[in-house]
Amino acid sequence: MDHLVFEVGTALVLVAIGAIIANKLKFSIIPFLIILGMIVGPHAPTIGIFDFTFIESNEIIQFLGRIGVLFLLFYLGLEFSVGKLAKSGKNIVVGGSVYVAINFILGLLYGFISGMPWMETLIIAGLLSVSSSAIVAKVLVDLKRTANPETELILGIILFDDIFLALFLTTMSGVLLASSTSFLGIFTSVLISVGYMFMFFVIARKGAPLLNKWLNIKSDEIFIIVIFAILFFVAGFSETLHVAEAIGALLLGLVFSETEHRDRIEHLVVPFRDFFGAVFFFSFGLSIDPATLADAIWLALGAALLTIIGNFVAGMIAGRKANLSHKASTSIGLTIMARGEFSIIVANLGITAGLSPILTPFTALYVLILAIVGPLMAKESKNIYMFLNKFFKWSKDKEKRKIEVP
């Protein structure tokens, strides 16, 4: 047991070192933690008496990482009001539909051109379509962009993407795992997922007065126990209905965002979000075996390039449809580019069903590339916009339209 605690302690020291280095370089800590996890993962070599592999404690670190995803998504939900969602519903549905459709179609074409069988092609299309809510949420917080005009649409697209993911996973689970191969079985599962999500929206809109009364707890200690108990219960219960536990956390955050206790919950959750969120990205790095990456490098590079192009185009269309500036539209496409936990979940479904083994290294490398490139492009979105503006003359068009107005 002492050895186990020492391993977890060593992992946390490495996470802290990665965070300090990233802070010194003024860069997102996400790529640092993923690469660090990969370097010291179960397949890392032992150098002399130093062995940084986390074999015995790997499951515990992975579990702490799962908690990190819950806190990241819960916080994301708190930041995103259902009232705003209802108000901006049209823009979010249009933006989300454009985003999912472009990426899914590109994924289908890529799988077909690569010579993949149909089921593998569907899995690739699915994992190319879902951005990483955890990384996007972290990037928005790190870059202090939660109050930007385009952030509302970014969060809306993420939410729409999550709903698509739930429907996709439910449908593909029925098809691949053969537990519900009939049309009626698949349709019932999808209906349950959609009904469950709709229930949270209704509670958020109608249940706020009752929640305000129930959460009127003076003691911070009891308050946080109650909030965390509800969070973990709802997340776990969601999974029993084949709705991802992270989406359950997101929906619960949406409900609490409508109460008068929102600021108090946010204040208490932030330290847990930062700590467990960092462990999540480290634990993801631990799951990658560097030796398997070479087999899928070109396949992953092609998919990553396609995703960058597809996300930029989708972000630009969604932003302009919502009457946002070219600069804000550029930021949308570049911010939601990162891929992470959900892509891995989609790939695992195919792997569990016995599809091609290439899915494992392909997904690991694809996610790693975009987990590094995504936050980097989000950070440099202003410079990328200025570079593109030299060719497309967006700001000039804006000035021209202003002059034409009588």
Side-chain angles (χ1 to χ4, degrees), residues 200-211 258:
F200 277 90
F201 286 102
V202 173
I203 294 173
R205 296 298 286 171
K206 305 292 182 184
L210 196 59
L211 286 170
E258 296 298 313

Side-chain angles (χ1 to χ4, degrees), residues 50-228:
F50 296 102
D51 182 3
F52 291 116
T53 57
F54 299 95
I55 297 172
E56 290 182 25
S57 59
N58 193 31
E59 286 187 8
I60 292 176
I61 296 171
Q62 297 287 351
F63 180 71
L64 295 177
R66 280 176 66 186
I67 294 176
V69 175
L70 295 188
F71 278 118
L72 282 168
L73 271 291
F74 181 61
Y75 182 82
L76 191 66
L78 286 172
E79 286 282 292
F80 192 40
S81 160
V82 176
K84 289 181 182 177
L85 175 65
K87 193 177 175 182
S88 309
K90 184 183 173 186
N91 289 335
I92 289 169
V93 170
V94 171
S97 300
V98 168
Y99 179 77
V100 169
I102 288 178
N103 284 287
F104 193 78
I105 291 170
L106 285 176
L108 284 178
L109 290 173
Y110 191 64
F112 179 73
I113 293 169
S114 305
M116 291 282 181
W118 263 112
M119 286 302 162
E120 280 81 352
T121 298
L122 283 171
I123 290 293
I124 287 176
L127 67 89
L128 258 67
S129 303
V130 286
S131 64
S132 168
S133 303
I135 295 179
V136 172
K138 184 69 177 166
V139 165
L140 288 172
V141 173
D142 280 355
L143 299 179
K144 297 182 173 58
R145 289 182 180 174
T146 54
N148 280 17
E150 72 274 15
T151 300
E152 190 176 307
L153 184 54
I154 289 173
L155 295 178
I157 291 174
I158 287 175
L159 186 65
F160 189 93
D161 204 24
D162 288 345
I163 293 171
F164 162 77
L165 173 71
L167 297 174
F168 179 82
L169 283 177
T170 305
T171 307
M172 289 303 292
S173 295
V175 173
L176 287 174
L177 303 182
S179 58
S180 57
T181 52
S182 68
F183 174 77
L184 184 63
I186 295 169
F187 181 73
T188 304
S189 298
V190 171
L191 208 60
I192 289 172
S193 300
V194 174
Y196 184 64
M197 291 176 196
F198 183 71
M199 181 187 75
F200 277 90
F201 286 102
V202 173
I203 294 173
R205 296 298 286 171
K206 305 292 182 184
L210 196 59
L211 286 170
N212 286 335
K213 188 178 175 183
W214 285 351
L215 295 176
N216 192 19
I217 302 168
K218 290 184 180 178
S219 166
D220 278 348
E221 182 185 2
I222 298 174
F223 183 77
I224 200 166
I225 289 172
V226 170
I227 295 297
F228 283 11

Side-chain angles (χ1 to χ4, degrees), residues 326 385 389-390 392-401:
H326 286 98
Y385 161 76
N389 190 43
K390 291 178 182 176
F392 294 104
K393 311 295 183 188
W394 291 321
S395 59
K396 195 176 177 181
D397 290 345
K398 187 179 176 183
E399 289 172 8
K400 190 178 176 182
R401 282 200 300 274

Side-chain angles (χ1 to χ4, degrees), residues 115-392:
M116 291 282 181
W118 263 112
M119 286 302 162
E120 280 81 352
T121 298
L122 283 171
I123 290 293
I124 287 176
L127 67 89
L128 258 67
S129 303
V130 286
S131 64
S132 168
S133 303
I135 295 179
V136 172
K138 184 69 177 166
V139 165
L140 288 172
V141 173
D142 280 355
L143 299 179
K144 297 182 173 58
R145 289 182 180 174
T146 54
N148 280 17
E150 72 274 15
T151 300
E152 190 176 307
L153 184 54
I154 289 173
L155 295 178
I157 291 174
I158 287 175
L159 186 65
F160 189 93
D161 204 24
D162 288 345
I163 293 171
F164 162 77
L165 173 71
L167 297 174
F168 179 82
L169 283 177
T170 305
T171 307
M172 289 303 292
S173 295
V175 173
L176 287 174
L177 303 182
S179 58
S180 57
T181 52
S182 68
F183 174 77
L184 184 63
I186 295 169
F187 181 73
T188 304
S189 298
V190 171
L191 208 60
I192 289 172
S193 300
V194 174
Y196 184 64
M197 291 176 196
F198 183 71
M199 181 187 75
F200 277 90
F201 286 102
V202 173
I203 294 173
R205 296 298 286 171
K206 305 292 182 184
L210 196 59
L211 286 170
N212 286 335
K213 188 178 175 183
W214 285 351
L215 295 176
N216 192 19
I217 302 168
K218 290 184 180 178
S219 166
D220 278 348
E221 182 185 2
I222 298 174
F223 183 77
I224 200 166
I225 289 172
V226 170
I227 295 297
F228 283 11
I230 298 171
L231 168 61
F232 280 84
F233 177 80
V234 169
F237 181 73
S238 301
E239 213 170 23
T240 65
L241 296 177
H242 304 294
V243 177
E245 59 188 15
I247 294 175
L250 176 72
L251 293 169
L252 183 65
L254 283 170
V255 170
F256 285 152
S257 74
E258 296 298 313
T259 69
E260 60 189 29
H261 301 283
R262 171 188 164 180
D263 292 341
R264 188 183 180 191
I265 298 171
E266 268 191 23
H267 178 71
L268 293 171
V269 161
V270 165
F272 293 90
R273 177 206 67 189
D274 291 343
F275 175 76
F276 287 104
V279 175
F280 162 69
F281 295 108
F282 178 77
S283 69
F284 173 60
L286 286 180
S287 68
I288 300 172
D289 177 5
T292 63
L293 302 181
D295 297 336
I297 188 163
W298 293 112
L299 192 65
L301 279 173
L305 181 63
L306 209 59
T307 302
I308 291 170
I309 296 169
N311 272 246
F312 178 78
V313 173
M316 190 58 75
I317 293 173
R320 295 302 292 159
K321 285 281 185 187
N323 293 320
L324 291 172
S325 66
H326 286 98
K327 185 179 177 182
S329 302
T330 303
S331 176
I332 291 171
L334 299 179
T335 303
I336 54 180
M337 193 175 292
R339 296 294 186 268
E341 68 284 357
F342 291 145
S343 294
I344 295 169
I345 290 170
V346 172
N348 280 342
L349 179 63
I351 294 161
T352 305
L355 300 185
S356 172
I358 195 69
L359 285 175
T360 303
F362 164 74
T363 307
L365 197 52
Y366 170 73
V367 168
L368 184 61
I369 292 169
L370 291 176
I372 294 172
V373 173
L376 190 63
M377 286 199 161
K379 186 187 177 189
E380 298 299 326
S381 62
K382 185 180 176 183
N383 292 327
I384 293 172
Y385 161 76
M386 290 173 69
F387 174 76
L388 293 173
N389 190 43
K390 291 178 182 176
F391 298 96
F392 294 104

Side-chain angles (χ1 to χ4, degrees), residues 1-7 56 60:
M1 185 64 187
D2 288 339
H3 182 62
L4 191 62
V5 173
F6 178 67
E7 280 192 1
E56 290 182 25
I60 292 176

